[in-house]
Every structure is written in structure tokens, then in C-alpha cells.
Amino acid sequence: MKQCFGYVRVSTKKQGEGVSLEAQKDAILCFAKQNGIRITKWFEEEQTAAKSGRPVFSAMLKALRAHKAEGVVMHKIDRSARNFRDWARIGDLSDAGIDVHFASESLDFRSRGGRLSADIQAVIAADYIRNLKDEIRKGQRRLLDTGYYPFSAPIGYRDNGKGKLKTPDPEQAHLVRLAFELYASERHSIRSLLIEMNQRGLRNKKGGPVSKGCLEGLLSNPFYTGVIHVRRTGDVYQGKHKPIISVSLFETVQETKKRKYHKKVTRHDHLFRGLFRCRQCQTSMIPEGKRGHVYYRCQKQACPTNSIREEQIDRTVSAGLKKTQIGKTDFQAFEAAFTQWWKTRQLHDPKKAIQLQIEHINAKEERLTDAVIDGLIDKAAFSKRREKLLLERSKLEEELRLDASIRLDFDGLKKFLEHVKNLAQHYEIATRDEKREIIEMAFSDKTVWAKNVELKPSNWLQAADSLVGVFSCGDTRPTSRTKSPPDDQYIESLIEQVERKLPNYATWDRPSN
């Protein structure tokens, strides 16, 4: 009795749990009994035959070439191969004298006519797969064009079935948002952020800890802002799914990734780490613990900026913030000017300006499409420019949706001004993270020279200085100094502090000592 292998295959695990594998085995056993064949070993595979390199199939071919069986019995030709490379490997077996049988096809694979008939059926099977792929891609493009993502949902989103929008995962979405926020804070590298997020419970689609490459891909994926970017083709689409993060946060993360100047991993979260530079060498002052104190040192030898204690920097910062305090009389004058600016601004509908900008972007997108159709730009350039336009449009649409946002919240801005008036007091009672936020907000240039700390107020504080005449020891100036109302640029700079630098400024409302 001839000894042969039996090979059965299904395309998916779902099929494998049904009757398909058993039905193939029954047909093969029936064929073997009728033709005096004994099946010595079964090879079962759950993988599509459209791709070459199937592991079980390759292992079976290797065993046949080693003459561990006289032949192989398969259910049908399309169960064996649906690509020309694997079909050629089956032909090589026959040419080497190894019998190839198909239980459901009445053909003699060793005869010329039988081989030709099998070749024709193999070509038909390969064409069927090719056509199926085309139809699948067409369906995917139709979904993408309408804002639906036809592929597996990224981390932070849930799959809701074929043809349905992805929705934020209630268990993972907030962790994805936190990953963006932590990286944007510039207090983490990819490696330290990876440790932090795995500890907090961020998981990949299989439920395991995320890898470094997975986290890097997550931070680069505009899907979380509502924009779909298909990596395989480079195409970009406007999605209909709910964004998890804002476009501004996504852009901040991309800029942070480009700079890559912070430490890879830190063991100690020192208060002024990464905030101060050596004035002469323009390098970061590195914190080091010694004898119960923290010293910040310039790492270049022979630099006169040797080291300075953290307590001294802290005292200098406190003194610098006290110089930025606004007097009561001047604050009332500034508040009146600010109120007048707000009333004037409200006479104009800010939504109309945003809508005009969106229309302008839509027109640019149409011209960009015409350019790629006419062959003026290549597909890669088109996708890159279109992604930028979609992100700009999403950012403007966010502003339209957030009617009650800080940008249009007069009470919120007045509250922020009250906090600015007492920055020094807030600094004394703030947490370590809040202190860092205050320093980054108030001072644009922070350097150390020898044993001295030099602080340069941020542009918006300098603008306020010229506005009310009381910043930077302004109490020595004459009270008759002419004050002009705040311009749009200055007001917008204050708004930016609320939106980006101090997203949690309201939490400062704690009683002072």
C-alpha cells in the first residue's frame, strides 16, 4: 500500500473551528481507500494560499523531498496553492517522481493532459485571488473616502464590526492621551515613557505590554486626531471617528520628537532638570546629588560655570517672579482695557473667520488633487501635503466645536490674569510639576553664569511690562507713564498660556499659607 501525506488547509482560524478541515480529511480518506493509499501523516494549515511561504506547506515539501513519503493527497487544487510560486513547487515534486493526488479532481497529474488541466485550474485559482484582492481594495477605498477605517483599530480604539466607525476604548483611550501629554511635556524619552505607560496599563491589541516600536508608531499616528494615514499606500483621508487628542497636542509631540535633546532615562526627577543652560557653553546644567543637596553643573571641563545649588536657583526664581507682580491699580487699568478689547472682539463673529479659513483649505485641497491628476506632483508629495491640510482643517474644526473653550471664555481669561498677578505666591505653594510650568511660562531664557542665575521674562511678560509699566521692578517708574490698550497679539499670547502651557492652572486655587 502506497504511503502518502495528507494536506488540508483553511484560510482563517474561524474556518478551522468549523467543519471545513474535517470535510477535507473525509474526502482524502475516501480517495485513499479507493486507490490503495495509506495516509501516514497529516499536515494542517490555517493560512491563505494566496501568499507563498506557508510554514506547514513548506515543511511538508521538505519532508517529501527527503523521501519520507511516496506522495501527497490534497483535497482540491485551490487548497494546495493560489499563487504561481507554490504551484511551481508542486510541479517540481511531480517532476522528481513524487506522486501528487487531488481527491476531488479526476485527473492524472503525471499525464500531459492531466498536468495541463491542473495548470489551467491553478491559473484560474490565482486569477480568482487577484480579482478578489482588487474587489477588497475597491471596497476599502470606498470606505476610506467616506471617512471609515476598514482595517484593525489602533490601540485606544475599538472595532465595532464591518463598515462601522471605530470608537474610543474606555479602558485604553485615556492612556493613549496621557502618553501624548507626557511626551509633549518633554520630561520623558521614548524609553522612559515606555516604562511609564506599561506600568500604567497601556496594552497592545493582543493584551500584552506595548513595545518601543509600537509606542513610537502610536505617537506618530494622526489617526488619534481624526486623520487617517494608510502607511502601505501613503494615502491620507479625513476620518469620521471621534479624535482622542487635539491637533495641537499631536503637533507638539512631533516637534518634540524632532528635537530629541532630553535625556533617555532619568532616575531622579529634579526640580530644574532640563530648564537651565550654561550661558557660556549653551549646554544643559546637569543635576547631581551630593551630601544631601542637589547641584547643577556644566559638564564641560574648564568652564567657569562650575556648579550651583538647587536652593540658590529656587531663591532666584522666587525673587524674579516677585518682580513680575502687578500692582492693584495697574491691574485694574489693565483689566478695564482687556474688557474693552473683549467687547470689541465680540462685535465680530470669530466663527465666520474660521469658516473662511476652512473654505480656503478646501479650495487648496481641490487644487492639490488637480495637480496630482495632471502629473504636476507625485503621489508621495500629494499625500504629505494633503495630510498637512487635513490636520490644519481638523484644528480649525476643533475651534468651531469648542464654543465654550478657554479661547472664547472671558471669565477663564480673567481668572488666569488673577493668577499671573500673583505668580510668586503661587510658586511658593505649587507642586514640583506646577513650579516647572510656572518657570517655563514666565521665563524664556534661563541661564547660569559662574554662581549667578540670569532670567529673561517671556515675550508676553515683556509685553505686559510695556503695557502697565510695573514688571521688572516697574514700581520705580513714574505712575504717569502712558499705558496703551492690549493688542490682539498680546491677548493671543495670554490665551496660548491658558491653552498650552498651563492646562491645569485652575488647580492652583488652594489656600495660601
Side-chain angles (χ1 to χ4, degrees):
M1 184 174 287
K2 186 188 299 183
Q3 296 183 353
C4 293
F5 292 150
Y7 178 80
V8 292
R9 182 193 64 80
V10 290
S11 297
T12 65
K13 290 185 177 180
K14 186 175 180 180
Q15 279 183 285
E17 293 168 357
V19 298
S20 180
L21 285 174
E22 294 303 319
Q24 291 179 51
K25 284 185 176 182
D26 290 343
I28 290 173
L29 288 172
C30 182
F31 176 85
K33 184 177 180 180
Q34 294 173 356
N35 293 272
I37 297 173
R38 184 170 70 89
I39 304 300
T40 59
K41 185 177 181 179
W42 290 100
F43 289 83
E44 300 181 14
E45 192 148 45
E46 295 175 350
Q47 192 168 344
T48 177
K51 294 182 179 180
S52 60
R54 288 168 284 157
V56 176
F57 180 77
S58 298
M60 181 192 70
L61 296 183
K62 184 178 180 180
L64 287 171
R65 286 194 295 269
H67 303 290
K68 294 183 178 181
E70 298 176 67
V72 59
V73 183
M74 292 174 273
H75 182 224
K76 296 174 66 177
I77 289 176
D78 64 359
R79 293 295 93 190
S80 62
R82 285 182 173 178
N83 66 84
F84 294 131
R85 181 178 179 182
D86 282 349
W87 183 248
R89 296 168 75 185
I90 292 174
D92 290 340
L93 290 178
S94 181
D95 294 339
I98 299 171
D99 290 327
V100 179
H101 304 284
F102 298 98
S104 299
E105 261 89 28
S106 56
L107 55 85
D108 181 6
F109 200 77
R110 286 199 169 186
S111 69
R112 179 184 175 189
R115 184 75 171 268
L116 177 61
S117 177
D119 287 342
I120 293 172
Q121 291 187 50
V123 170
I124 294 173
D127 180 69
Y128 168 80
I129 289 296
R130 192 180 299 115
N131 180 67
L132 183 62
K133 287 181 178 178
D134 289 340
E135 293 301 317
I136 291 174
R137 291 192 183 107
K138 288 178 184 178
Q140 291 173 345
R141 282 195 293 269
R142 283 194 293 268
L143 288 172
L144 288 166
D145 286 335
T146 55
Y148 288 77
Y149 191 65
F151 311 110
S152 177
I155 298 173
Y157 283 91
R158 277 185 172 180
D159 286 308
N160 297 304
K162 187 176 181 181
K164 295 184 179 180
L165 288 175
K166 315 298 182 186
T167 54
D169 186 331
E171 296 180 358
Q172 295 287 305
H174 72 284
L175 293 174
V176 170
R177 187 185 306 111
L178 179 63
F180 276 91
E181 291 172 350
L182 290 177
Y183 195 79
S185 72
E186 299 185 1
R187 293 194 290 270
H188 280 279
S189 67
I190 288 292
R191 294 185 183 278
S192 64
L193 181 63
L194 179 66
I195 296 171
E196 177 74 18
M197 296 315 301
N198 278 326
Q199 289 177 345
R200 289 178 179 265
L202 185 64
R203 295 293 179 263
N204 59 30
K205 301 303 289 185
K206 294 182 179 180
V210 295
S211 64
K212 180 173 176 288
C214 179
L215 184 60
E216 288 177 332
L218 184 151
L219 294 175
S220 302
N221 193 350
F223 189 90
Y224 299 105
T225 68
V227 174
I228 298 172
H229 178 232
V230 183
R231 289 187 178 182
R232 182 175 59 83
T233 62
D235 294 328
V236 181
Y237 304 87
Q238 180 63 60
K240 287 187 176 180
H241 57 279
K242 183 180 179 180
I244 289 179
I245 64 170
S246 67
V247 175
S248 297
L249 178 57
F250 180 78
E251 291 175 342
T252 301
V253 167
Q254 306 319 304
E255 288 299 319
T256 303
K257 288 175 69 178
K258 288 180 182 178
R259 290 194 293 269
K260 295 182 180 179
Y261 64 84
H262 42 278
K263 290 177 66 177
K264 297 300 181 182
V265 179
T266 180
R267 292 176 57 193
H268 305 286
D269 188 19
H270 296 297
L271 178 58
F272 304 117
R273 178 180 56 81
L275 293 180
F276 287 82
R277 295 177 294 104
C278 171
R279 194 182 76 177
Q280 176 168 316
C281 305
Q282 293 300 308
T283 56
S284 292
M285 299 291 290
I286 307 300
E288 297 177 357
K290 189 175 182 180
R291 298 191 184 96
H293 296 280
V294 177
Y295 293 84
Y296 291 77
R297 305 177 184 276
C298 177
Q299 298 300 302
K300 291 193 175 182
Q301 294 182 353
C303 178
T305 306
N306 185 16
S307 67
I308 186 169
R309 276 173 57 166
E310 189 171 81
E311 294 89 343
Q312 183 178 345
I313 297 178
D314 192 50
R315 288 194 298 268
T316 305
V317 170
S318 295
L321 289 173
K322 288 177 181 178
K323 293 180 181 180
T324 67
Q325 294 185 129
I326 306 176
K328 181 177 180 181
T329 302
D330 290 293
F331 182 80
Q332 290 175 346
F334 175 75
E335 187 178 32
F338 182 84
T339 303
Q340 182 60 38
W341 172 87
W342 183 265
K343 290 180 179 179
T344 303
R345 185 172 188 252
Q346 292 304 93
L347 295 176
H348 307 283
D349 185 2
K351 286 187 177 182
K352 290 184 179 179
I354 295 175
Q355 289 168 345
L356 287 175
Q357 293 181 62
I358 292 176
E359 291 176 6
H360 180 63
I361 289 176
N362 291 339
K364 289 176 69 175
E365 186 180 1
E366 290 182 4
R367 292 196 297 270
L368 189 62
T369 302
D370 292 338
V372 74
I373 292 174
D374 295 337
L376 300 178
I377 60 173
D378 59 25
K379 185 178 178 181
F382 167 77
S383 296
K384 186 175 182 179
R385 294 184 189 179
R386 186 164 187 251
E387 181 175 338
K388 185 178 180 180
L389 288 175
L390 292 182
L391 288 172
E392 289 179 7
R393 186 168 64 193
S394 295
K395 193 173 184 178
L396 292 170
E397 289 173 347
E398 286 174 6
E399 295 181 19
L400 282 179
R401 289 194 299 268
L402 299 176
D403 291 337
S405 68
I406 295 175
R407 182 174 288 278
L408 299 178
D409 184 358
F410 178 62
D411 292 335
L413 287 170
K414 286 182 64 177
K415 186 177 182 181
F416 175 70
L417 292 177
E418 289 284 352
H419 286 307
V420 169
K421 184 173 67 173
N422 298 303
L423 276 180
Q425 180 183 355
H426 286 302
Y427 182 81
E428 295 300 326
I429 61 176
T431 65
R432 294 175 67 84
D433 287 343
E434 289 169 351
K435 283 186 175 183
R436 292 177 62 88
E437 292 279 7
I438 293 172
I439 294 170
E440 290 178 329
M441 178 193 73
F443 304 109
S444 61
D445 196 21
K446 304 169 284 293
T447 58
V448 176
W449 170 250
K451 295 289 185 179
N452 300 315
V453 179
E454 299 178 355
L455 301 169
K456 179 181 178 182
S458 297
N459 290 336
W460 69 275
L461 276 178
Q462 293 184 43
D465 183 18
S466 62
L467 182 70
V468 300
V470 294
F471 283 96
S472 301
C473 300
D475 53 338
T476 61
R477 293 172 180 161
T479 56
S480 61
R481 179 178 175 179
T482 301
K483 304 175 181 65
S484 58
D487 58 16
D488 289 0
Q489 184 177 2
Y490 173 57
I491 298 299
E492 291 296 332
S493 69
L494 285 178
I495 293 172
E496 181 183 359
Q497 301 305 317
V498 179
E499 290 184 322
R500 299 184 65 179
K501 292 292 185 182
L502 294 173
N504 298 317
Y505 72 94
T507 63
W508 293 2
D509 292 330
R510 54 170 69 89
S512 58
N513 296 328

